[in-house]
Amino acid sequence: IAGFSVIGKILEVDFTEHLDASSTCIVVYEKVVSALQAVSYLNNHMVRGSQITVQLDNRIQEKPREELP
C-alpha cells in the first residue's frame, strides 16, 4: 500500500486472498485522478517478487457531487 498512498488520499482498502495463492486488493481513492495515476505509475511493477496489475474498476462509480447554491 505504500506505493499507492504516495499517489493520493486512500479512502478504503479491501484485500482478498484466493485459494490459488493469488490476491486481489481494491484501493479507493478520494479523487479519480489519483486512481488514474495509480494505474499509470504502478501497473506491471514488481512487488515482493511478483508483478502486479493495476486497473480501474468500472463497477465503482464516482459519487455525485453536491451542487453549489
Side-chain angles (χ1 to χ4, degrees), residues 13-63:
V13 175
D14 180 21
F15 182 81
T16 305
E17 288 189 75
H18 305 286
L19 294 176
D20 64 356
S22 66
S23 58
T24 302
C25 184
I26 297 173
V27 178
V28 179
Y29 284 100
E30 180 179 47
K31 297 181 180 181
V32 173
V33 69
S34 298
L36 294 169
Q37 288 175 332
V39 171
S40 177
Y41 298 151
L42 299 174
N43 190 40
N44 295 323
H45 275 256
M46 298 296 287
V47 176
R48 296 183 183 166
S50 297
Q51 186 177 20
I52 64 170
T53 299
V54 181
Q55 59 190 19
L56 292 179
D57 186 346
N58 294 327
R59 294 173 294 170
I60 300 173
Q61 303 212 355
E62 187 175 0
K63 295 179 183 176

